Amino acid sequence: MESKRQQKFAGVLQEELAQVFQREGASFLPNTLVTITRVRVSPDLAVAKVYLSFFNTNNTTLSINTVNAHSSEIRYKLGSRIRHQVRVVPELTFFVDDTNEYVEKMDSLFEKIAKEPRQKEEDSEE
């Protein structure tokens, strides 16, 4: 369970990182829209896990590796934006948020189940 302080700080990080990716993300991920879906912060506010969703890309693994390769540059730009609000700029680790893929997979499974012929319930009860 995250404290109010962690949640508040995560919200600030999410907003500021969104601005960084919107303005400067095209330099290392051209033609790709990056959405920050969630930010989790450690209790000491020194480490932040950032979950990203990519649109208009075929290879999310390559995209997340590119973002991780530029993590120090992203952290520096984040630090210049929030330097008056925090004591320490957190160490950033980026992960792929696969929630949309999971939802699509579950939807396809439910559709498949719905299309299967149902057995007669009356026969099984007798």
Side-chain angles (χ1 to χ4, degrees), residues 3 8 28 110:
S3 68
K8 209 172 188 183
F28 49 87
F110 286 134

Side-chain angles (χ1 to χ4, degrees), residues 66-110:
T66 303
V67 170
N68 278 320
H70 289 89
S71 65
S72 60
E73 178 185 347
I74 295 167
R75 183 175 182 236
Y76 175 78
K77 290 177 181 178
L78 174 68
S80 65
R81 296 178 66 91
I82 64 170
R83 68 177 178 260
H84 298 296
Q85 300 174 33
V86 297
R87 291 183 189 176
V88 177
V89 178
E91 199 63 42
L92 302 174
T93 52
F94 297 97
F95 300 95
V96 175
D97 184 19
D98 57 354
T99 305
N100 289 337
E101 295 170 12
Y102 179 75
V103 168
E104 289 175 11
K105 181 179 176 184
M106 294 305 292
D107 284 343
S108 67
L109 285 173
F110 286 134

